[in-house]
Amino acid sequence: MKNVSRYHPALVALHWLLALLIIGALVVGFFVLAPMPNASAHKIGILGAHMAVGMLILALMVARFIIRMLTSRPAQATTGYPLLDRIAPITHYGFYVLVLLMVASGYTTGILAGLNRIVFQGSGEPLPSSFAVYPSFRAHGFIAALLAVFIALHIVAALFHQFVRRDGLFGRMLFGRRAA
């Protein structure tokens, strides 16, 4: 593959769209759905949107992974610290794994709790009194917290590159000319 200075425009668009969708899904999960009682009349609608966004995130992540494998990308960035340089690619692929685990645990909870009938088919059945009885739901919450930590570290790393190293790394994930 040829040497380029920026990621493919499709990857840039998917990166920022997925960032918004994932952060939005986490915010809704932590701050709207978690404190809301399952008996609330509004929960099914919000849960439906949350689940639909989760499915969209999965589809976009698959597309992003395929595009990433097929397109040229900039040379690996360096932090100036060999240990951090070895950790960076692991954490990037860790994002893919965590998002896939989030979707899998969400799907599993949905299947176990009969959410397809309740949320998408409008069966009229009530939501289970608590999702906490499902191990997949507890995993979903744990993975969500871990994903939030990964996102925070990713943001800190981007800010480190932008304002401490001043190496232009942030610009690689923006639209613009790709020539090396």
Side-chain angles (χ1 to χ4, degrees), residues 75-133:
Q76 184 136 347
T78 180
T79 62
Y81 302 95
L83 178 62
L84 291 177
D85 290 344
R86 277 187 251 135
I87 292 172
I90 295 167
T91 58
H92 281 97
Y93 285 105
F95 271 115
Y96 287 102
V97 171
L98 287 174
V99 171
L100 292 176
L101 288 173
M102 280 294 295
V103 172
S105 60
Y107 267 90
T108 304
T109 301
I111 290 167
L112 293 174
L115 295 181
N116 183 48
R117 288 185 321 277
I118 299 168
V119 174
F120 294 116
Q121 295 175 1
S123 69
E125 299 171 61
L127 290 171
S129 59
S130 173
F131 292 119
V133 298

Side-chain angles (χ1 to χ4, degrees), residues 8-172:
H8 190 277
L11 284 176
V12 173
L14 286 169
H15 174 271
W16 294 109
L17 178 58
L18 281 162
L20 290 173
L21 290 172
I22 290 168
I23 291 169
L26 289 171
V27 167
V28 167
F30 284 129
F31 300 111
V32 178
L33 288 170
M36 184 182 288
N38 282 6
S40 171
H42 301 293
K43 188 148 188 177
I44 290 176
I46 297 168
L47 189 57
H50 182 76
M51 293 169 68
V53 167
M55 290 183 254
L56 177 60
I57 288 169
L58 175 62
L60 293 175
M61 283 295 287
V62 169
R64 186 178 192 280
F65 184 75
I66 291 168
I67 293 169
R68 184 175 163 88
M69 293 298 112
L70 296 176
T71 59
S72 298
R73 52 189 176 267
Q76 184 136 347
T78 180
T79 62
Y81 302 95
L83 178 62
L84 291 177
D85 290 344
R86 277 187 251 135
I87 292 172
I90 295 167
T91 58
H92 281 97
Y93 285 105
F95 271 115
Y96 287 102
V97 171
L98 287 174
V99 171
L100 292 176
L101 288 173
M102 280 294 295
V103 172
S105 60
Y107 267 90
T108 304
T109 301
I111 290 167
L112 293 174
L115 295 181
N116 183 48
R117 288 185 321 277
I118 299 168
V119 174
F120 294 116
Q121 295 175 1
S123 69
E125 299 171 61
L127 290 171
S129 59
S130 173
F131 292 119
V133 298
Y134 305 108
S136 58
F137 179 75
R138 291 193 302 275
H140 196 66
F142 175 77
I143 297 164
L146 188 57
L147 184 57
V149 168
F150 262 63
I151 290 168
L153 290 173
H154 188 67
I155 292 168
V156 167
L159 293 173
F160 171 79
H161 277 280
Q162 184 67 24
F163 297 111
V164 176
R165 295 218 16 113
R166 297 177 188 214
D167 57 10
L169 183 76
F170 193 77
R172 295 167 17 141

